[in-house]
Amino acid sequence: MGGKILIADDVATNRIVLKVKLGAAFYETMQAASGVETLANARASRPDLILLDVEMPDMSGIDVCRLLKADPVTRDIPVVMVTAFRDMDRKMAALGAGADEVFWKPLDEVVLLARLRSILRAREAAEELGLRQHTYRDLGFAEPSEGFARPARVALVFRDAATRTKWADELRPYLTDRLIAMEPDEALADPSGAPPPDVFVIGADLSESGGGLRLMSELRSRHGTRHAAVCVVLPSGAADTAAMALDLGANDLIEVDADPAEIALRIRMQVTRKRQADRLRENLEDRLRLAMTDPLTGLHNRRYATAHLARMAERAMETGRTFALMVLDLDRFKTINDTYGHASGDAVLVEVARRLSARLRPVDLLARIGGEEFLVALPDKGLREATAVAERLRRAVADRPVALPHGQGSLSVTSSIGLTIGQAGAGGISVEDLFHSADRALLAAKHDGRNQVTIGRSAA
C-alpha cells in the first residue's frame, strides 16, 4: 500500500468516493465523520496523512487541524484540508493552523493524488531523519542549541524582469527574508561564495513550455541547491503541469494570481521545514563523524546499527509494517589478507562498501559490523522486495573485479547473504532473534556453496 490515509468528512458519500479513488491508487483508508472522531482516530491509528473537510458537524475542521498540531502524538501527521467554499480567509486560516494544503471542491483527482504523493514523500524523509536523530539521542549525544537564524534567501525566478519586480514588490511587506530577483541562468550559476537560496519560486513556463520544470530538475541534481525548497508558480487549471511538477520534486504549488499574503505564508512554511531538515542533517553528519562510523569504510558501525535497528523495530510495531534485515559476509576474505596483505584487504572492504551504498536508498541502513561482515536493514520492505535487493547487492559485489593497490592487479570477490524479515505483532519484534535468524541463514549460504542469498526460516 502507498500509505494509510484518514478521510475525515461528515458526508458519507464524500468519504466513500474518496475511499474508492484512494484505494485505486493503492492507499489504505480509514474514515471519521466528526471532529472528535478524527482526533481519536488520529491518536489511535497514527495515519500517514489526514484528508480533512473544513466543515465538520461538531467543530470546525480548522480547529481540528489546530488541535492535531498541538498534540505531540499527532503534530507531525500531514493534514490536507478540503472545502466547498472558495473563501480566501478560510483558506488562510487553514494554512495558518498547520494544514499542508487546501483544496477547493470539486477535487481535481490528478492534482490531489500528485500532492498526496509529494507530501508523503516529504514526510517519509523527515520521519527517517527524525528516527536517526532519536537514535543519536538514545546513545547519549546532547541536542545542540539552535543558533541565530539569519533571514532566508528567497529567489524569484521568472522569464521577464517586470514579473520579477512585481513579485518582489508585492511580497516585501509580508516577508522579512531577502528577496532575490533572478533570471533562469542566474539560478544555475555559481553563487561565488554566497550561500544558495533557501527557496526558489519559479515560473512554470520560463522561456519555453516546460522550462520551469526543467530548471527545477536541474536544481534538484546539483549539490548546492538539491536541498532548497522549490515552489512552482502555475496558472489556474494547469492540472497536468501541476501533477508533473509535484512528481518531479516541487515542494509546493502557487497559483499565479494568488494573494501575496498566501504566497508569503507558503514561503515561510517552506523556509521553516527546510531549516528543520538542514538542522537535522547537520547534526546527524556531525555526530556520525564523532562516534558512529567505521573509520575505514565510512559506514555506520555496529554500535549505531544495534541502536538504530531497535528503533526501526519499534516503528514497525507501531505502524504494522515490516522491515528486512540481512547480514552480508565476504567469501574467503582471510585468504585475501594472507595472500595480498592487509592493505589489499582494506581496499576490498572500501570498494565493497561503496558498491553496496550505491545500490541502497538513503533511508536504508548499511553498517560494517565485523571484519568482513556488513549489515543491511530495509524499512518498509517485504520478503519479495528484500530478496530482489539482496540479489542486487550480491551481484554488485561479484560482477566486477576489485582493483588492488600497489600494482597487484585485480581480484574477483563474492559474498554470501542471510536475509530475514521483521514482522509486526502483538508480542513485539526481537532484534536479537532477527539478527540470529539472518546469521543462521548466512551460515547456510556459506555451507551451500557461497555467493548466494539464503532466507531465514522466520521469513520464509
Side-chain angles (χ1 to χ4, degrees):
M1 304 299 288
K4 182 166 58 177
I5 296 179
L6 172 58
I7 303 169
D9 196 305
D10 61 327
V11 179
T13 303
N14 292 343
R15 296 197 302 272
I16 293 169
V17 169
L18 283 171
K19 177 181 178 180
V20 171
K21 290 182 178 181
L22 295 174
F26 303 102
Y27 291 105
E28 177 187 354
T29 60
M30 50 192 303
Q31 300 181 32
S34 68
V36 170
E37 190 179 353
T38 301
L39 294 169
N41 285 356
R43 258 190 150 268
S45 302
R46 301 272 198 89
D48 297 297
L49 184 142
I50 299 173
L51 199 54
L52 174 63
D53 197 283
V54 172
E55 306 302 319
M56 299 296 279
D58 52 346
M59 67 176 79
S60 163
I62 294 171
D63 289 335
V64 174
C65 183
R66 196 172 285 115
L67 290 170
L68 288 167
K69 295 302 177 181
D71 186 340
V73 176
T74 58
R75 65 187 175 195
D76 294 327
I77 301 174
V79 177
V80 173
M81 302 199 71
V82 179
T83 177
F85 300 94
R86 290 182 173 266
D87 181 344
M88 286 307 303
D89 289 340
R90 190 169 293 170
K91 183 177 185 180
M92 291 293 292
L95 293 171
D100 291 75
E101 186 56 276
V102 180
F103 283 110
W104 310 120
K105 293 181 181 178
L107 297 173
D108 186 303
E109 183 177 346
V110 173
V111 178
L112 172 66
L113 292 176
R115 193 70 174 108
L116 297 186
R117 289 193 296 269
S118 171
I119 291 171
L120 289 171
R121 279 197 306 271
R123 182 177 191 260
E124 180 183 6
E127 190 177 59
E128 182 59 28
L129 281 171
L131 186 66
R132 292 179 187 267
Q133 180 85 335
H134 284 299
T135 300
Y136 283 117
R137 193 178 301 132
D138 291 347
L139 289 168
F141 290 91
E143 185 80 18
S145 58
E146 294 185 22
F148 171 74
R150 61 173 175 79
R153 294 166 57 87
V154 180
L156 305 175
V157 187
F158 295 92
R159 63 180 175 181
D160 61 271
T163 303
R164 296 193 293 270
T165 301
K166 173 178 176 291
W167 275 67
D169 291 344
E170 291 181 348
L171 289 174
R172 199 165 282 115
Y174 299 95
L175 292 172
T176 58
D177 302 306
R178 183 181 175 191
L179 299 174
I180 308 165
M182 283 188 174
E183 295 182 10
D185 290 344
E186 290 181 275
L188 298 175
D190 187 341
S192 301
D198 299 285
V199 180
F200 287 91
V201 180
I202 300 174
D205 185 7
L206 292 174
S207 59
E208 55 185 16
S209 179
L213 301 188
R214 282 193 291 276
L215 173 60
M216 179 183 67
S217 297
E218 188 65 29
L219 291 171
R220 284 277 178 255
S221 71
R222 300 194 176 201
H223 177 76
T225 55
R226 65 185 174 191
H227 295 306
V230 178
C231 302
V232 176
V233 180
L234 293 164
S236 58
D240 289 342
T241 304
M244 188 182 304
L246 291 167
D247 285 335
L248 287 174
N251 298 89
D252 203 355
L253 302 177
I254 298 174
E255 291 189 1
V256 70
D257 55 354
D259 186 276
E262 177 190 343
I263 298 170
L265 177 57
R266 289 180 179 274
I267 290 172
R268 285 197 298 272
M269 288 169 59
Q270 294 304 325
V271 169
T272 299
R273 290 171 184 169
K274 179 184 181 293
R275 283 179 169 166
Q276 289 172 343
D278 286 347
R279 190 159 55 247
L280 281 172
R281 272 192 298 271
E282 289 165 5
N283 294 346
L284 296 180
E285 288 168 2
D286 290 344
R287 293 167 185 182
L288 200 61
R289 285 189 292 269
L290 285 173
M292 298 295 106
T293 54
D294 167 49
L296 175 64
T297 62
L299 300 179
H300 290 294
N301 60 18
R302 178 183 282 271
R303 182 187 184 199
Y304 176 88
T306 301
H308 191 68
L309 270 177
R311 186 163 291 280
M312 192 180 291
E314 279 179 24
R315 187 175 70 174
M317 193 163 131
E318 289 173 356
T319 61
R321 299 170 181 169
T322 60
F323 68 96
L325 174 64
M326 63 183 81
V327 180
L328 180 150
D329 188 86
L330 299 184
D331 297 327
R332 298 186 174 92
F333 184 75
K334 184 176 184 300
T335 303
I336 298 175
N337 280 333
D338 291 346
T339 305
Y340 298 95
H342 287 279
S344 293
D346 288 350
V348 169
L349 291 170
V350 170
E351 174 60 16
V352 167
R354 187 194 67 76
R355 293 183 188 183
L356 297 177
S357 298
R359 287 157 180 84
L360 293 170
R361 304 171 299 171
V363 298
D364 297 330
L365 171 65
L366 173 61
R368 182 187 175 202
I369 59 174
E372 67 272 23
E373 197 170 56
F374 298 84
L375 179 146
V376 179
L378 313 174
D380 303 330
K381 291 292 185 185
L383 179 59
R384 186 173 65 177
E385 293 175 305
T387 302
V389 173
E391 286 290 351
R392 188 164 68 238
L393 296 179
R394 184 194 62 78
R395 290 194 301 271
V397 174
D399 283 354
R400 194 171 72 256
V402 176
L404 300 180
H406 311 305
Q408 297 183 87
S410 61
L411 179 69
S412 294
V413 181
T414 62
S415 65
S416 300
I417 301 176
L419 166 67
T420 192
I421 301 296
Q423 301 281 354
I429 301 173
S430 168
V431 171
E432 184 178 355
D433 288 345
L434 287 171
F435 186 84
H436 285 321
S437 174
D439 209 36
R440 287 192 299 270
L442 171 64
L443 292 175
K446 294 278 192 185
H447 182 268
D448 292 341
R450 300 183 174 86
N451 193 23
Q452 59 185 286
V453 175
T454 301
I455 301 168
R457 287 185 178 181
S458 64

